[in-house]
Amino acid sequence: MFGDAANWNEDAYKESILKDREIQTLTVFRTAWPPSSNPNPNTIVLASSDGSLTSYSISEIPLGFSDSRAPQVKPNAFLQGHDGPAYDVKFYGNAEEDALLLSCGDDGRIRGWRWEEFMQSQVPVALQGNHIEPIVDMVNPQHKGPWGALSPIPENNAIAVDTQGGSIFSAAGDSCAYCWDVETCKIKMCFKGHLDYLYCIVARNSANQIITGSEDGSARLWDCRSGKCIQVIDSVKDEKFKGFSSPVSCVALDASESWLILAVGAEPVMSRFDINGAVLSQIPSAPQSAFSVSVHPSGVTAVGGYGGLVDIISQFGSHYRTFHCQCV
């Protein structure tokens, strides 16, 4: 009735409990769509709280929307990107064969791997993690304090890219944004002005500008030629932006690079605003607490958050697929 105690495996039981807890507390901090000749999304890459970068085939995810009974899906490729959480993932390059998979994290590093090598690895997924070496590896500067003491290495919370300029932009925990040269892996420019650490950064390459969002409740528009701030949107002080809440944790641009702000946060809703702060739409999302929103060129949107949950929303606002990512 109660089973055979002689065959009880205490270690296996403890391992299963820890594994279940790991899955329940896993957080997807960012999602990204890789470059592809296919106009429709067929692969999604996640950066998660366990430091991993994982790739999933969308066609292998069942159709439908459910926040509580979403299926667990195994990744088809896996990297252990960082010591500590991986906060962002982006692609540098527009062609599948020469694109770089970039990530940043709590360890203050920005790393890059060849996307083709990542996806075509013959190593079984269960044995992947450190099987390929990064070809880009940069670390944030440590600032000197009184008597020459070095500060801790500030984390990188987000990155953006400018392939034409050969640059990677990072939003750091020291309230600064940095512009890195891809070839030399050195800092080209520092953007100072925020009063608290940065959550997000977006490159507006057509105008040679970047947009940053911060814990201080403001979004700032910067000129990449001079490094100067040219516009401040303060969600706390400006009455026009009552729809926003402090802090500014996520910013996205549409394909035309005109202003489009998609906000996710503590509530299971994705809100879409225009530059005047007007709410264009609000769509329920599966993650009860969301940290990431990314837009595919086709208009498909991915929202990721707590519990390793990812919600894929069609360009028409309907829920397409929802899944829990599985720890490797």
Side-chain angles (χ1 to χ4, degrees):
M1 181 177 177
F2 298 104
D4 187 358
N7 293 325
W8 177 256
N9 189 327
E10 183 70 18
D11 290 338
Y13 174 72
K14 289 180 179 178
E15 185 177 348
S16 67
I17 293 295
L18 292 174
K19 195 69 174 179
D20 287 343
R21 185 176 299 172
E22 183 180 10
I23 292 171
Q24 291 172 9
T25 59
L26 185 71
T27 298
V28 175
F29 282 119
R30 202 74 72 198
T31 61
W33 307 100
S36 173
S37 56
N38 188 338
N40 298 311
N42 53 14
T43 302
I44 190 168
V45 180
L46 315 181
S48 301
S49 56
D50 60 358
S52 69
L53 305 174
T54 49
S55 171
Y56 292 83
S57 173
I58 292 178
S59 62
E60 296 176 4
I61 303 169
L63 291 168
F65 169 73
S66 172
D67 55 355
S68 60
R69 288 172 287 185
Q72 283 190 17
V73 180
K74 293 182 178 180
N76 53 28
F78 160 72
L79 270 175
Q80 187 60 46
H82 296 272
D83 295 327
Y87 289 136
D88 200 0
V89 57
K90 289 288 189 303
F91 286 89
Y92 183 91
N94 298 316
E96 296 176 69
E97 60 273 10
D98 60 7
L100 292 180
L101 172 67
L102 299 172
S103 72
C104 67
D106 192 62
D107 55 8
R109 309 196 84 90
I110 300 171
R111 288 186 168 134
W113 299 262
R114 289 187 178 88
W115 172 241
E116 191 174 45
E117 185 179 5
F118 174 63
M119 288 302 292
Q120 295 182 1
S121 174
Q122 300 301 310
V123 178
V125 175
L127 300 178
Q128 292 181 9
N130 299 304
H131 58 298
I132 57 176
E133 292 294 323
I135 62 172
V136 171
D137 197 350
M138 304 178 289
V139 62
N140 279 344
Q142 290 179 281
H143 302 289
K144 288 187 177 181
W147 303 288
L150 288 175
S151 67
I153 298 174
E155 76 276 13
N156 284 313
N157 292 314
I159 48 178
V161 302
D162 175 11
T163 53
Q164 290 185 342
S167 302
I168 298 172
F169 301 97
S170 61
D174 57 3
S175 78
C176 295
Y178 295 96
C179 177
W180 300 80
D181 184 87
V182 175
E183 294 294 329
T184 64
C185 293
K186 294 183 179 179
I187 293 173
K188 296 194 289 186
M189 187 175 290
C190 178
F191 303 86
K192 296 182 179 180
H194 280 290
L195 303 178
D196 213 326
Y197 60 87
L198 306 188
Y199 277 117
C200 53
I201 189 165
V202 175
R204 196 182 185 198
N205 295 328
S206 61
N208 204 8
Q209 298 170 342
I210 59 170
I211 306 161
T212 54
S214 171
E215 173 70 17
D216 65 14
S218 71
R220 289 177 178 251
L221 183 65
W222 307 82
D223 177 52
C224 294
R225 300 178 186 88
S226 64
K228 294 181 178 180
C229 177
I230 57 178
Q231 185 178 353
V232 179
I233 300 172
D234 194 321
S235 63
V236 176
K237 296 179 182 179
D238 197 329
E239 290 296 317
K240 293 186 301 181
F241 294 90
K242 289 182 178 179
F244 292 101
S245 60
S246 181
V248 179
S249 59
C250 193
V251 174
L253 293 174
D254 63 8
S256 67
E257 293 194 348
S258 61
W259 282 91
L260 168 66
I261 300 179
L262 300 174
V264 292
E267 295 183 0
V269 174
M270 182 183 74
S271 300
R272 184 171 176 261
F273 300 86
D274 65 15
I275 186 57
N276 296 314
V279 177
L280 301 178
S281 64
Q282 288 189 312
I283 302 171
S285 64
Q288 295 300 299
S289 184
F291 293 87
S292 166
V293 57
S294 58
V295 185
H296 187 269
S298 67
V300 173
T301 304
V303 177
Y306 187 75
L309 198 58
V310 179
D311 190 12
I312 301 176
I313 301 170
S314 78
Q315 57 268 52
F316 307 108
S318 60
H319 295 278
Y320 181 42
R321 301 175 193 262
T322 304
F323 70 99
H324 284 279
C325 56
Q326 185 168 315
C327 301
V328 179

